[in-house]
């Protein structure tokens, strides 16, 4: 893959990381230690029973969203690490190069389309 393309992908990964962290900060606090660990905060809408129900519902949504966003952060960090190590763009299953179009569309992909399709069939 061309160095220019890798730099374009790296810039996109950094943008995704920044947006993901900002999204997490809207409902979670950052834990000390691991840069990608956040804890959802419990919302406070008031003391009425319907407000309490809303709080529980929102908290449940926040926890699920937190897990998805933290996984995205881990995937982005892994891709950035691989770029720095010179191992970016290699499928973790078949060890072949991942198509450039796939990486441009989803820069933190860790598998080629063929392997991903095969995995989804199982």
């Amino acid at each position: 893959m061309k160095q220019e393309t890798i730099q374009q992908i790296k810039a996109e990964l950094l943008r995704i990381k920044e947006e993901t962290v900002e999204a997490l900060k809207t409902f979670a606090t950052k834990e000390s230690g691991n840069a990608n660990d956040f804890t959802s905060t419990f919302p406070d809408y008031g003391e009425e029973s319907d407000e309490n129900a809303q709080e529980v519902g929102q908290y449940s949504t926040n926890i699920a969203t937190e897990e998805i966003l933290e996984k995205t952060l881990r995937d982005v960090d892994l891709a950035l690490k691989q770029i720095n190590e010179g191992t970016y763009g290699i499928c973790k299953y078949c060890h072949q190069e991942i198509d450039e179009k796939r990486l441009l569309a989803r820069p933190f992909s860790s598998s080629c389309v063929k392997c991903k399709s095969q995995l989804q069939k199982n």
Side-chain angles (χ1 to χ4, degrees):
M1 190 177 319
K2 296 179 202 170
Q3 192 61 30
E4 179 182 309
T5 304
I6 290 175
Q7 290 308 311
Q8 176 186 352
I9 290 171
K10 184 175 182 178
E12 178 65 9
L13 286 165
L14 291 169
R15 185 193 65 73
I16 291 169
K17 181 175 182 168
E18 183 179 327
E19 285 182 1
T20 304
V21 168
E22 289 305 311
L24 277 162
K25 286 181 181 178
T26 63
F27 63 88
T29 56
K30 196 170 190 176
E31 293 293 315
S32 60
N34 188 337
N36 295 335
D37 279 343
F38 287 79
T39 300
S40 292
T41 54
F42 197 85
D44 184 10
Y45 298 138
E47 297 301 319
E48 300 297 322
S49 62
D50 64 326
E51 293 167 331
N52 291 336
Q54 283 180 305
E55 290 169 351
V56 171
Q58 185 61 53
Y59 184 65
S60 296
T61 299
N62 288 352
I63 288 174
T65 303
E66 175 192 339
E67 289 176 15
I68 292 166
L69 293 175
E70 284 179 341
K71 181 183 180 327
T72 298
L73 281 178
R74 286 190 302 273
D75 291 346
V76 166
D77 281 346
L78 177 61
L80 289 168
K81 179 182 176 197
Q82 290 171 334
I83 286 173
N84 291 335
E85 293 174 347
T87 58
Y88 178 74
I90 304 298
C91 177
K92 67 181 180 181
Y93 301 106
C94 69
H95 308 289
Q96 300 298 312
E97 282 190 26
I98 300 171
D99 187 67
E100 187 175 304
K101 289 179 184 177
R102 175 165 172 77
L103 292 172
L104 287 169
R106 189 171 187 270
F108 47 89
S109 294
S110 60
S111 61
C112 66
V113 173
K114 182 179 177 185
C115 289
K116 186 68 172 184
S117 296
Q118 193 66 21
L119 286 169
Q120 290 177 335
K121 288 179 185 176
N122 297 334

